[in-house]
């Protein structure tokens, strides 16, 4: 990778790190970490989510009970203020990262599109 | 997304677009496009690749004949100088994009890792 691309990517990384959105997300994680109940709920929910994603990925059967269990865990986390805040901030950050990836992918996408025409 | 993140992402996009690697890739595509034989071989190879990826993705059976057909098409494209050049440049560009994504993902990855500890 050329120096100027590397330097710009690192500037972007630093800008993400110091952005208000990222700092808010970091504080939301710290708040959950300090709260044993929220921390346990969050890890339980993440674990269930991971199991479901693995099953979807490998094509394994997902029982209605597993779906119900994940929905219940999701509803519980949404009722916890620290967790609902964390998840809203996570979603915003994911959208920002996705937007940046989309911008960076534009030159290649345009090139592929013009070639396929 | 904040203005400064957006501006930096756009600067990175412009830097990719004007980079020597991207300009070389663009010229390699144009050279293939102007060469009917290379263009046909490339599109044929891409089509076979796409079919195999779709089958892998949906879990459909891939016959030994299909694997052999794709390997033959790959070998033929490698023997064509314009196509082997194009594919080497594509690979380099993909690595650059992957490197940049990795740099940009660092803040979030560090945050998740420190939370999981
Ligand atoms: Ca505690
Ligand atoms: Ca021609």
């Amino acid at each position: 990778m050329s120096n100027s691309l590397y330097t710009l990517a690192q500037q972007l990384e630093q800008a993400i790190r110091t952005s208000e959105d990222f700092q808010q997300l970091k504080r939301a994680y710290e708040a959950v970490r300090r709260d044993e109940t929220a921390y346990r709920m969050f890890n339980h929910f993440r674990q269930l989510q991971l199991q479901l994603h693995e099953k979807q990925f490998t094509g394994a059967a997902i029982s209605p009970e597993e779906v119900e269990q994940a929905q219940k865990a999701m509803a519980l986390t949404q009722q916890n203020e620290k967790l609902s805040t964390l998840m809203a901030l996570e979603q915003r950050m994911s959208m920002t990262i996705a937007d940046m990836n989309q911008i960076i992918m534009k030159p290649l996408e345009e090139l592929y599109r013009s070639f396929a025409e």
Side-chain angles (χ1 to χ4, degrees), chain A:
Chain A
M1 173 159 49
S2 83
N3 275 339
S4 74
L5 291 187
Y6 191 77
T7 303
L8 277 168
Q10 283 190 318
Q11 281 175 8
L12 188 50
E13 191 231 321
Q14 280 305 313
I16 293 166
R17 213 181 274 281
T18 54
S19 69
E20 185 51 32
D21 282 6
F22 184 76
Q23 290 301 320
Q24 275 183 22
L25 179 61
K26 205 173 164 182
R27 285 194 293 271
Y29 266 111
E30 283 158 6
V32 168
R33 215 192 167 124
R34 282 192 304 268
D35 180 330
E36 275 167 45
T37 308
Y39 189 64
R40 212 181 314 116
M41 278 170 71
F42 187 72
N43 283 332
H44 175 64
F45 174 62
R46 273 285 151 89
Q47 197 57 42
L48 288 175
Q49 239 188 351
L50 204 67
Q51 281 168 14
L52 285 185
H53 286 168
E54 271 176 19
K55 288 200 168 186
Q56 280 177 331
F57 191 72
T58 58
I62 295 170
S63 69
E65 288 76 22
E66 285 174 307
V67 174
E68 206 189 325
Q69 202 187 10
Q71 283 170 342
K72 271 186 190 161
M74 177 66 173
L76 281 173
T77 56
Q78 286 297 342
Q79 281 161 31
N80 181 296
E81 208 188 313
K82 290 198 186 88
L83 292 177
S84 62
T85 299
L86 174 60
M87 289 193 289
L89 292 170
E90 268 192 335
Q91 204 182 351
R92 195 166 71 186
M93 199 70 222
S94 299
M95 280 171 62
T96 296
I97 301 280
D99 281 351
M100 287 187 292
N101 280 331
Q102 213 179 1
I103 291 171
I104 293 165
M105 286 306 292
K106 256 194 232 167
L108 271 183
E109 271 172 13
E110 283 177 18
L111 186 57
Y112 294 155
R113 199 165 47 234
S114 74
F115 187 71
E117 267 160 12

